[in-house]
Every structure is written in structure tokens, then in C-alpha cells.
Amino acid sequence: MTTNSTYQQIARAIEHLTATYQQQPSLSELAREANLSEFHFQRLFTEWAGVSPKKFSQYLTLEHAKAQLREGAALSEAAYGSGLSGTGRLHDLFVSIEGVTPGQFKQAGSGLQLRYGVFDSPFGAYVLGVINGKLALLHFLDEASEPEVILKSAWPEASVSHDPEAVQGFADQIFPVAGVPNPVVNTPIPVLLRGSAFQLKVWEALLKIPEGRLASYDQIADAIGQPMASRAVGTAIGSNPIGYLIPCHRVIRKTGLFGGYRWGAERKQAMLGWEAARVNG
């Protein structure tokens, strides 16, 4: 069974779990949603999440989310300048970001070669795009997605070529395979981001949210020194081009509700529960 097909089965159960957690759905009920026997569902879910479905459900409750927001992510302690510079840390990965505004990019944007590949992850299939040795796009896919259309929409100036071998190293760093030696997993990941100065500041702020923790849109707005701009922050977060690695999934509403996600609410819930299990499970 591939990672992607495993995720699809787990995602159906998570969707049901988040809709009915107050009724504490039984193991057999969740197994039916995943179209698996109870035994195989319990084993598959625990292998995927690292904890039992019951424990996982605790991480998806409103009270857990509110407690995470009250604890905060120490975002207000970080100072942000205009644009991006320096290095942020996410899990065991280092992200070295180069940020350019649309105007700056236009001046040096001709003749770009965008190489891409499609890979599996714990959260389903995704397309990875690389420009000049820098990660330029990580976009999760659904059944109707057309990778080249997504890539051309994000980088219309670039010449797109399917070259999975050229980008395999990035995939190995972002979603390393458990138990497989990986000498590059802790080396810097260079990322190329194109956006307004405001967007770049928001995306950099996201890198300050630790794994297994949550922040609200208001907290992000405070962190970048624009406390009245939470709505604009939400728009910038929704346009993040580097899924998972720049963790926009860790931002929720101040009420504790998870809210929407560019790549689907179920995928966001899966990511949050999976990360909480890695930290607390």
C-alpha cells in the first residue's frame, strides 16, 4: 500500500472523527469510514499517527486547541524586519529563505527553468517545484489536480519540465522515510519565495511556530507589528506557496476552531493531529 493510499483511508476516518468527536465515535465506526476491519484500521492508524485513534481525537478537540493558543508560540518575542533574511527552523529541517517582491523578480525573471516531480507524503500526493536549486513550490494534490497547471499558475514566466530525479533530494529532506539513512535530512533547504513585503513577513512569521503548537491570525499580526491586520494576514497565509514546510496549517481562529485550509480542512486536521502526536504522544 502506498503512502498516498494510506493517507486517503486515514483522511476519511479523520473527517468523520472531527465531525463527531463530541459523540466519541467507536473504533468500529471509524473503521467503517476507512473501509477497513477494526484490527487493520487500528494498526494502520497507529502506524501513521504514532498514537491510537482515541488519543488522536483528543488533539482535535476545541479545548485542546484553545489551550494551545493560550500557551502561545512566543511569536511576539521575535522581531521581523522588512522582507526575509536569515534562517528559520522547522522540525529537524533548516529553511534558508530568499524573498523577492514581484518587482524585483520581474527584473531578473526571464529564462527560468522550473523542474518538478510528484511524490507521496503522510498527507497525500504533492507536487514539488524547484528553480535554480531553490524550492519554489510545494502544493498538495487531489484527484482532479493537474501539476503543470498549478506550476504555471504560480510561476507563469518559467519553462516547466518534469524531472523528478532533479528534485528528489528535496522530497527526501521534507518527508524522510522512517528507518532509511538520509545524510541530507539536516542540511539547509533553500527556498525561493515571491510575494509582497507584507506576505514575506507573514510567511517568515509562520516558521516561528513550533511543531505541535498553534497560533491565531491575531498572534501572527501582532508578531509582525501590525495588530490590526489579522484579515490581511489570513489572506497572506492562504496564498502560501510552500505547503507544510512553511506551516500555515498551524494557524487557527482565536476561538479555537481550525478554520479552512488551502489544501483541504481534513488535511489540515491530519497535519495538526499528526504533529501533536509526534510531540506529545
Side-chain angles (χ1 to χ4, degrees):
M1 182 178 293
T2 66
T3 305
N4 189 47
S5 61
T6 298
Y7 168 72
Q8 295 302 326
Q9 289 183 293
I10 296 298
R12 289 195 294 270
I14 290 174
E15 181 179 11
H16 185 73
L17 183 61
T18 53
T20 63
Y21 72 85
Q22 290 179 316
Q23 289 75 47
Q24 297 184 0
S26 66
L27 180 65
S28 61
E29 186 177 342
L30 294 172
R32 284 196 301 273
E33 290 295 322
N35 196 29
L36 293 167
S37 69
E38 290 184 39
F39 172 78
H40 284 98
F41 173 72
Q42 177 87 2
R43 179 181 60 80
L44 187 67
F45 194 102
T46 303
E47 286 179 355
W48 177 82
V51 295
S52 68
K54 183 176 181 179
K55 184 69 173 179
F56 188 91
S57 70
Q58 296 176 7
Y59 299 137
L60 302 181
T61 64
L62 186 62
E63 290 308 310
H64 176 78
K66 287 181 177 179
Q68 287 284 293
L69 291 179
R70 284 194 297 269
E71 292 178 11
L75 290 169
S76 60
E77 298 176 6
Y80 302 98
S82 59
L84 294 179
S85 61
T87 302
R89 182 161 187 168
L90 173 64
H91 314 320
D92 294 326
L93 307 175
F94 289 90
V95 181
S96 177
I97 297 175
E98 177 181 339
V100 293
T101 66
Q104 292 170 331
F105 182 84
K106 186 176 181 180
Q107 296 174 11
S110 61
L112 291 174
Q113 183 71 31
L114 176 58
R115 305 180 189 278
Y116 80 94
V118 175
F119 305 93
D120 276 352
S121 81
F123 314 108
Y126 66 99
V127 59
L128 203 60
V130 173
I131 293 175
N132 294 337
K134 297 182 177 67
L135 182 63
L137 181 137
L138 193 164
H139 195 291
F140 290 97
L141 304 174
D142 56 35
E143 292 181 358
S145 297
E146 297 183 28
E148 290 205 6
V149 173
I150 293 169
L151 292 159
K152 289 297 292 183
S153 176
W155 294 92
E157 305 88 347
S159 174
V160 175
S161 63
H162 183 229
D163 191 354
E165 291 186 1
V167 299
Q168 180 71 56
F170 285 94
D172 293 341
Q173 286 181 267
I174 299 167
F175 295 111
V177 178
V180 177
N182 190 338
V184 299
V185 71
N186 289 320
T187 57
I189 296 181
V191 174
L192 177 64
L193 288 175
R194 175 176 57 172
S196 68
F198 181 83
Q199 287 175 316
L200 296 174
K201 288 171 67 177
V202 169
W203 297 336
E204 184 181 28
L206 298 179
L207 288 171
K208 306 296 182 181
I209 309 173
E211 181 182 19
R213 301 290 291 275
L214 304 174
S216 70
Y217 297 97
D218 288 349
Q219 287 172 325
I220 298 293
D222 286 341
I224 64 171
Q226 299 195 40
M228 303 303 292
S230 58
R231 186 178 295 273
V233 163
T235 300
I237 289 172
S239 60
N240 169 32
I242 311 288
Y244 180 73
L245 193 60
I246 296 179
C248 54
H249 60 279
R250 296 179 189 159
V251 183
I252 67 173
R253 297 173 183 170
K254 62 182 177 181
T255 59
L257 296 176
F258 287 164
Y261 184 55
R262 182 176 184 179
W263 294 288
E266 293 80 22
R267 185 172 277 112
K268 180 175 184 175
Q269 291 156 354
M271 289 178 176
L272 293 178
W274 189 79
E275 290 186 341
R278 280 161 53 101
V279 172
N280 304 309

